[in-house]
Amino acid sequence: MKEGILWHSLNKEEVLSRLKTSLAEGLSEEEVQKRQEQYGKNILTQQKSTSPFILFLLQFHQPLIYILLGATAITLYLGEYLDALVIFGIVFINAVIGFIQEYRALRAISSLAHSMTPEATVIREGKRHRIPAQELTIGDIVWLEPGDKVPADLRLLSIRDLQIDEAPLTGESVPVPKKVTELPHQTLLADRSNMAYSSTLVTYGSGIGAVVAIGNATEIGRINQMIASADILATPLTQSIARFSSLLLYVILGFAILTFIVGVKRGNDIFDMFMASVALAVGAIPEGLPAAITIMLANGVARIAKKNAIIRKLPAVETLGSTTVICSDKTGTLTQNQMTVQEIIAGGWHYTVTGVGYEPIGTFQINGEEACIRENVALEECLIAGLLCNQSNLIEEAGAWKIEGDPTEGALVVAANKAAKYRENYLNLLPLLDTIPFESENQYMATLHKVLDKPYHVIYIKGSVERILERCNLELLPDGQIQEINRQKYFEITNQMAKKGLRLLAFAYKHVPNTQQEITHYEVAQDLIFLGIQAMIDPPRPEAIEAVKICKMAGIKVKMITGDHELTALTIAQKIGIVGATSEQELSQKVINGSKMSSLSDEELIAVTQKVAVFARFAPEDKLRIVRALQANNEIVAMTGDGVNDAPSLRQANIGIAMGITGTAVAIETADMVLTDDNFATIKDAVEEGRGIYDNLIKFITWTLPTNFGEGLVILAAIVANTTLPILPLQLLWINMTTAALLGLTLVFEPKEPGIMERKPRNAQEPILNAVLLTRIVIVGVLLCAAAFGFFYELQEKGRSVEAARTIAVNIFVVGELFYLFNCRVLSSPLYKIDFFSNPILLIGAGAMFLVQLFYTYVPFMNQAFHSEALEFMDWLFIVGVGIFIFWVIEIEKGVRYRVVKKRNSKEKEVLQ
């Protein structure tokens, strides 16, 4: 087959000629075999992926892990086996968790391969066969019937009322009526009505098409390739941690080398100085940081799961808190994916219909007041026409209402049910005799019904407003009288309704003699009596409106990307609050369609994405371009979606969010987060959790680094002073591991600070620690170093043993960190601004830490293992005094800064007012 052929632009004869096939006979078995050898099977090729072993090894490819592995190797070489085992255990656990998460993510393409239809009906050698879909080849003639999944990309050659649901591929919210005539070359994918695409669903009618693409060459196959080519971006957290770890690596190595050089130049033994350098490195490495990050993120995953969201990749939790743009699919995500009649014009009266979705509960209102349906004969007849000129049914399954058939027809059934008019009852009163099915060329459908005990039958017809009005001379009035119709009046009304993005259907009727048992197009060509218009839309989710509002308040931009037409998309965007109520000219600048977008260069698109809020009539590659353009502007992009067409952009986005109920397996497997209730509002809760997790992570880092910095200073000071080390490497490891486990990790449970959703998203390019926090870390580190170093040598001067002096130094660090932990519960204001007892786990951890230090100090086997010694009561007074002193120094510093910032903010508000 020749590549690049625009099959939709060829007529039927050209298609058959180029494919060298026959509509009646199909391919011969011999030709099928030749083509299968040439084109291969109709399956999606599995992409080559990283082997599990390499994927596991890549978990160690992080600067912070390099430091820990280096420490493991050195301590192992020096015979410090316990130290080496503990450090490597931390690294290994983190690697296992990361491997499990990433391995699951790589199953997306495998899921996509299984989404192709297992069987297809094909014509070969003039006979119909049911064969495995993978056996299809180019030129095969395929039959399509309701319920079929299209097995390959087809150029349609013959149809009967064929409608196909293309929402998984294009995002179109209603089934697309198909036709066979050729289309212009430049016709967009979503508008190629003479094509049927692999993995879309036949909802109505039947058709025959020729296979023009199989496997990887299909549209879904191209999406498969895009999933593979989409970049898997590092999250803001992993990027920040990588930068932070790299800096930390250089600082630690620098201090260790400086320690070694200074010691050797002062005449110390080279081996002793090497040991001292190792001690400094062990002390300066925050061994608990990787574990703390993993546990914090995992705990966040558990909390978010309680709010109906499943996080598949741990760093995605924090990415939510950094998100600056949410790109959302419309159908089924922001809207309910349930067409709903919202307005009716009947007998010249304009009704609003309440209720949303398929649940048949609602009222009919005029000017906000409930109206009596029986007061308007035209309204009753309009609802009956929608009910009977219809081939869909409303059913209830497990408490949920569903439509069997076309969603648009389903909306008409629901509207009639709201008026207590039911299809089964009316079919008994008005039995169906004949039908003219809907065809896109005619733009209408008609049904003939027997009227019991009457000398006439009735024809009901529904279709486009233009086609129905041109056939009507009269209209039915509310009192049952008939008058001449004013077509212009209805055209003006419908133009206003269309501007709201509503889908319009007009209804009419006609009486014919009761001898007539069938109808033709001739009977409905003229002399119809107009009944009214029903206007419907796929309504927005009410909770989505509130979620968008909160996201905007949090500084997050929301953009809609949809396969629907511009007007429909813009209307929904206005209702949800994505686009504000502005002039028509301003509104036109807020929306762009796929055709215009395809003409833009990448540079032009980058500028456009900053201004446009609604992207309509897209193709899958358009969505991918939009996400990449936003990322080029340093935006942190969250992409929501549920269809196959969303998968590449879900993978490309910083965080992909799939719908768990309506989402395809491909979208779910590709995404970082899955909403189990398909509720857009759940994203708001997840963003809030993400921000809280990042806050607590910063609190942990701000809390843990003074220990590492202070320990490094102690070792360096000892070398410079040419004296005994105040703390041994094993004791340093004890401090780091026990405080991280019993103190630091309790910050995981710190409640979210007030006003967390009123902040702007943090800049992902900013360092993890700002100047204020770095200053605080230095202050606490220096105070810990000075206290530990000072008391260590004072005790030795008084004749106490080196073990006792080291035990005091260790406890100064632990108790100092314990008191400093309370400072870190809130970083930007004094501690009294929050509820002291709001984190009981932290209070328990502080108590446990103190007990563990008593165990470390007074239990004989601990004294032997860690070279510690029992202390006197007065020693503890000094130790606790240091902790209290550190606490108040930081509280005073925070209090001063808090008042300065508050005063500055007050002045800024006065200026703005």
Side-chain angles (χ1 to χ4, degrees):
M1 182 183 67
K2 295 180 180 179
E3 297 293 331
I5 297 175
L6 299 176
W7 295 101
H8 63 273
S9 67
L10 304 179
N11 61 38
K12 292 190 291 184
E13 291 72 23
E14 289 178 297
V15 170
L16 292 170
S17 174
R18 293 204 183 197
L19 292 173
K20 297 180 180 178
T21 188
S22 164
L23 182 61
E25 296 294 321
L27 299 174
S28 66
E29 292 298 336
E30 182 182 356
E31 184 64 22
V32 167
Q33 188 172 353
K34 287 181 181 178
R35 295 192 184 192
Q36 285 178 341
E37 291 175 0
Q38 181 180 357
Y39 300 117
K41 289 194 173 184
N42 182 32
I43 56 176
L44 296 178
T45 304
Q46 293 279 0
Q47 301 297 317
K48 290 184 179 179
S49 58
T50 307
S51 70
F53 179 68
I54 297 298
L55 190 64
F56 179 72
L57 292 182
L58 288 174
Q59 305 307 311
F60 298 90
H61 184 49
Q62 303 172 43
L64 190 60
I65 300 300
Y66 295 158
I67 300 173
L68 295 176
L69 288 175
T72 301
I74 293 172
T75 50
L76 192 63
Y77 175 75
L78 297 174
E80 303 291 342
Y81 300 117
L82 179 60
D83 297 22
L85 182 63
V86 171
I87 297 172
F88 184 74
I90 296 168
V91 174
F92 186 79
I93 291 170
N94 277 277
V96 169
I97 294 173
F99 167 76
I100 291 171
Q101 294 294 326
E102 290 193 23
Y103 183 72
R104 289 182 62 195
L106 292 177
R107 292 164 52 197
I109 294 174
S110 175
S111 172
L112 183 59
H114 287 96
S115 72
M116 297 193 73
T117 310
E119 290 189 337
T121 302
V122 64
I123 299 174
R124 289 179 179 170
E125 297 183 340
K127 297 179 181 179
R128 290 177 62 171
H129 303 275
R130 192 73 175 165
I131 64 170
Q134 67 178 15
E135 299 298 329
L136 286 175
T137 190
I138 302 299
D140 261 327
I141 303 300
V142 175
W143 275 69
L144 298 175
E145 295 177 340
D148 285 348
K149 250 189 180 178
V150 181
D153 284 1
L154 310 177
R155 171 60 165 90
L156 297 171
L157 304 173
S158 174
I159 62 168
R160 180 173 174 79
D161 314 319
L162 181 64
Q163 295 183 28
I164 296 180
D165 180 4
E166 296 182 344
L169 184 66
T170 67
E172 181 70 56
S173 58
V174 294
V176 179
K178 293 296 181 178
K179 59 184 181 180
V180 298
T181 54
E182 64 268 29
L183 298 168
H185 285 70
Q186 66 273 20
T187 304
L188 295 174
L189 176 72
D191 296 323
R192 295 176 186 173
S193 55
N194 59 10
M195 298 290 295
Y197 293 108
S198 177
S199 291
T200 58
L201 182 68
V202 178
T203 61
Y204 187 75
S206 60
I208 303 174
V211 175
V212 296
I214 60 173
N216 291 337
T218 63
E219 288 298 323
I220 197 174
R222 291 197 310 112
I223 292 175
N224 182 32
Q225 300 300 316
M226 283 191 284
I227 293 175
S229 65
D231 300 326
I232 303 177
L233 300 181
T235 70
L237 177 64
T238 55
Q239 291 173 335
S240 297
I241 291 294
R243 291 193 296 266
F244 173 73
S245 301
S246 298
L247 177 62
L248 194 62
L249 174 61
Y250 296 134
V251 170
I252 291 172
L253 291 177
F255 267 92
I257 292 170
L258 179 62
T259 300
F260 182 79
I261 293 173
V262 170
V264 171
K265 283 193 174 183
R266 296 181 73 90
N268 292 305
D269 181 73
I270 292 178
F271 181 78
D272 290 341
M273 288 306 95
F274 182 72
M275 283 295 294
S277 298
V278 171
L280 185 145
V282 170
I285 294 171
E287 289 93 348
L289 182 56
I293 293 172
T294 301
I295 292 170
M296 280 196 178
L297 295 179
N299 183 68
V301 167
R303 286 208 301 264
I304 291 175
K306 294 177 182 177
K307 298 181 178 180
N308 301 313
I310 298 172
I311 302 293
R312 297 183 58 251
K313 301 172 185 176
L314 287 183
V317 182
E318 184 278 331
T319 308
L320 283 164
S322 307
T323 299
T324 59
V325 177
I326 298 176
C327 293
S328 177
D329 185 39
K330 179 185 75 70
T331 305
T333 306
L334 291 168
T335 65
Q336 301 189 34
N337 198 20
Q338 296 182 349
M339 294 297 290
T340 305
V341 173
Q342 293 192 332
E343 298 182 31
I344 297 178
I345 303 290
W349 294 3
H350 193 157
Y351 294 87
T352 300
V353 185
T354 65
V356 293
Y358 294 148
E359 187 175 14
I361 297 176
T363 60
F364 296 78
Q365 300 180 350
I366 296 178
N367 297 324
E369 295 185 3
E370 187 170 346
C372 178
I373 298 169
R374 293 186 179 180
E375 291 180 356
N376 189 339
V377 175
L379 173 61
E380 288 195 282
E381 286 295 320
C382 184
L383 292 170
I384 292 170
L387 190 66
L388 295 179
C389 191
N390 197 314
Q391 292 185 316
S392 297
N393 292 301
L394 177 66
I395 60 171
E396 185 180 13
E397 288 183 357
W401 292 92
K402 299 180 180 180
I403 292 296
E404 285 184 341
D406 181 78
T408 299
E409 289 190 336
L412 301 175
V413 175
V414 173
N417 284 186
K418 289 176 181 178
K421 298 183 184 301
Y422 303 102
R423 182 173 170 80
E424 185 176 344
N425 295 345
Y426 276 90
L427 283 174
N428 289 332
L429 293 173
L430 301 168
L432 178 65
L433 297 175
D434 195 19
T435 301
I436 298 177
F438 177 88
E439 292 181 356
S440 56
E441 289 82 1
N442 298 322
Q443 292 295 305
Y444 64 78
M445 170 186 176
T447 54
L448 174 65
H449 297 268
K450 180 179 181 180
V451 182
L452 301 178
D453 302 323
K454 295 291 182 182
Y456 57 82
H457 294 334
V458 63
I459 296 173
Y460 286 117
I461 182 171
K462 75 168 189 282
S464 69
V465 175
E466 295 79 5
R467 291 298 174 90
I468 300 302
L469 281 175
E470 70 186 13
R471 288 166 163 74
C472 295
N473 299 320
L474 305 171
E475 67 172 316
L476 185 64
L477 298 178
D479 60 3
Q481 299 297 311
I482 295 174
Q483 71 174 20
E484 189 174 346
I485 191 169
N486 182 349
R487 293 192 184 91
Q488 186 59 36
K489 177 185 74 171
Y490 284 107
F491 280 129
E492 291 174 0
I493 293 173
T494 55
N495 284 338
Q496 292 301 315
M497 296 174 78
K499 287 180 180 178
K500 300 177 186 178
L502 296 167
R503 181 184 177 91
L504 307 179
L505 283 177
F507 299 84
Y509 79 101
K510 180 180 183 179
H511 288 158
V512 295
N514 61 6
T515 56
Q516 189 168 329
Q517 299 299 308
E518 59 183 31
I519 52 173
T520 65
H521 293 289
Y522 175 78
E523 279 84 20
V524 295
Q526 59 187 0
D527 299 330
L528 300 180
I529 301 173
F530 186 74
L531 292 173
I533 297 167
Q534 296 195 45
M536 63 193 73
I537 198 168
D538 181 10
R541 293 175 178 265
E543 61 272 19
I545 297 173
E546 181 65 19
V548 168
K549 180 181 177 182
I550 293 174
C551 285
K552 283 191 165 186
M553 185 175 68
I556 301 170
K557 291 170 279 189
V558 181
K559 298 181 184 292
M560 178 193 291
I561 307 178
T562 175
D564 269 337
H565 290 281
E566 293 154 89
L567 186 58
T568 303
L570 197 56
T571 301
I572 292 295
Q574 285 182 287
K575 289 186 175 184
I576 291 174
I578 294 174
V579 175
T582 56
S583 66
E584 287 191 17
Q585 183 178 357
E586 291 175 326
L587 282 175
S588 65
Q589 296 173 353
K590 296 290 185 180
V591 62
I592 187 172
N593 62 37
S595 180
K596 291 179 183 176
M597 189 188 311
S598 61
S599 67
L600 298 177
S601 66
D602 289 342
E603 292 71 21
E604 290 171 327
L605 184 59
I606 290 171
V608 167
T609 53
Q610 294 301 297
K611 301 175 184 177
V612 171
V614 179
F615 300 84
R617 307 305 285 172
F618 65 91
E621 56 267 31
D622 292 330
K623 299 183 78 172
L624 200 56
R625 283 189 71 202
I626 292 167
V627 173
R628 285 173 172 164
L630 287 166
Q631 289 170 337
N633 274 315
N634 296 319
E635 303 281 11
I636 305 300
V637 182
M639 170 71 195
T640 72
D642 55 6
V644 174
N645 63 322
D646 294 320
S649 47
L650 286 175
R651 186 178 174 92
Q652 174 69 36
N654 300 84
I655 176 166
I657 305 171
M659 303 297 120
I661 298 175
T662 59
T664 60
V666 184
I668 290 171
E669 286 295 326
T670 306
D672 304 293
M673 182 172 86
V674 180
L675 305 183
T676 58
D677 58 356
D678 281 16
N679 192 337
F680 185 88
T682 304
I683 298 173
K684 170 260 174 188
D685 295 328
V687 168
E688 190 171 356
E689 284 293 341
R691 291 189 174 190
I693 289 165
Y694 185 77
D695 278 0
N696 289 346
L697 184 59
I698 296 302
K699 291 173 185 177
F700 177 86
I701 294 173
T702 305
W703 170 82
T704 193
L705 287 186
T707 303
N708 306 113
F709 179 61
E711 289 167 347
L713 285 180
V714 165
I715 303 300
L716 183 59
I719 299 303
V720 172
N722 201 22
T723 58
T724 307
L725 293 179
I727 305 177
L728 297 173
L730 184 60
Q731 292 170 338
L732 293 174
L733 195 61
W734 167 267
I735 294 170
N736 293 350
M737 297 308 300
T738 56
T739 56
L742 296 176
L743 297 180
L745 289 179
T746 62
L747 289 171
V748 169
F749 306 98
E750 196 63 34
K752 294 183 287 291
E753 294 182 18
I756 197 169
M757 287 301 284
E758 295 174 9
R759 308 178 196 163
K760 298 297 180 185
R762 73 178 185 88
N763 187 343
Q765 303 303 313
E766 290 180 356
I768 286 182
L769 301 174
N770 57 32
V772 172
L773 297 181
L774 284 173
T775 302
R776 197 172 295 165
I777 288 168
V778 171
I779 291 172
V780 176
V782 169
L783 289 175
L784 287 171
C785 172
F789 198 81
F791 279 110
F792 176 80
Y793 285 105
E794 183 181 344
L795 286 179
Q796 284 200 305
E797 289 291 324
K798 291 180 179 179
R800 299 280 292 274
S801 68
V802 68
E803 285 80 9
R806 282 174 173 158
T807 304
I808 283 188
V810 168
N811 278 297
I812 283 174
F813 268 91
V814 171
V815 174
E817 282 289 274
L818 189 153
F819 278 91
Y820 179 53
L821 180 71
F822 289 91
N823 297 125
C824 291
R825 291 187 64 186
V826 54
L827 297 178
S828 56
S829 62
L831 181 61
Y832 71 82
K833 289 289 182 180
I834 65 170
D835 180 4
F836 184 81
F837 298 100
S838 61
N839 186 355
I841 294 177
L842 182 141
L843 302 178
I844 294 170
M849 185 72 250
F850 198 81
L851 291 175
V852 166
Q853 279 310 110
L854 292 178
F855 185 75
Y856 170 90
T857 304
Y858 293 106
V859 174
F861 83 83
M862 293 294 290
N863 297 153
Q864 184 176 1
F866 288 94
H867 309 288
S868 59
E869 187 175 295
L871 299 180
E872 300 171 2
F873 177 75
M874 288 301 296
D875 296 333
W876 286 108
L877 291 181
F878 284 119
I879 292 168
V880 173
V882 169
I884 294 172
F885 179 74
I886 290 173
F887 172 81
W888 281 113
V889 167
I890 300 304
E891 280 303 295
I892 292 169
E893 179 261 341
K894 286 199 298 178
V896 171
R897 290 187 187 277
Y898 177 74
R899 283 191 290 272
V900 170
V901 171
K902 189 176 181 180
K903 188 175 181 180
R904 184 174 65 238
N905 291 342
S906 297
K907 287 183 178 180
E908 289 177 355
K909 286 182 180 179
E910 289 175 6
V911 171
L912 290 173
Q913 291 173 352

